[in-house]
Amino acid sequence: YKYFQEHSSRKIYIFGVGGVRDGETAIKHFLVGADALQIGTAILIEGPGVFGKIVKEIEEWMENHGLSSIEEIVGIVRDL
């Protein structure tokens, strides 16, 4: 990720794909650099209500950590 960001004149968008089933897994994808998420199997298993569940869990996590925007955590782990 860092190589492409350093050697490109454009922003490279990262999509988190695979295993996004709840707020915790969504947050993990954001922490390592995902700008957006793809949710697939969770829709088949839980139905479209999974979107609201994931959003609620993300919002609760952010509030518990004093954050107001998901952009505050995108990619913070990649720099460690």
Side-chain angles (χ1 to χ4, degrees):
Y1 176 85
K2 288 172 77 171
Y3 175 85
F4 289 111
Q5 294 295 36
E6 292 171 2
H7 294 88
S8 178
S9 60
R10 298 183 191 176
K11 165 89 169 118
I12 296 172
Y13 293 94
I14 306 294
F15 289 79
V17 178
V20 180
R21 63 187 176 281
D22 54 28
E24 179 182 354
T25 54
I27 290 163
K28 288 178 180 179
H29 278 73
F30 288 127
L31 288 170
V32 297
D35 297 292
L37 303 175
Q38 175 181 310
I39 301 169
T41 304
I43 299 168
L44 294 173
I45 295 170
E46 297 186 44
V50 73
F51 292 111
K53 177 188 120 177
I54 291 171
V55 168
K56 180 180 179 221
E57 291 173 2
I58 291 171
E59 288 173 341
E60 289 172 355
W61 186 89
M62 289 177 54
E63 184 177 325
N64 290 337
H65 289 83
L67 303 167
S68 60
S69 172
I70 201 71
E71 286 83 15
E72 294 177 69
I73 67 164
V74 171
I76 63 173
V77 173
R78 70 175 172 241
D79 293 327
L80 298 177

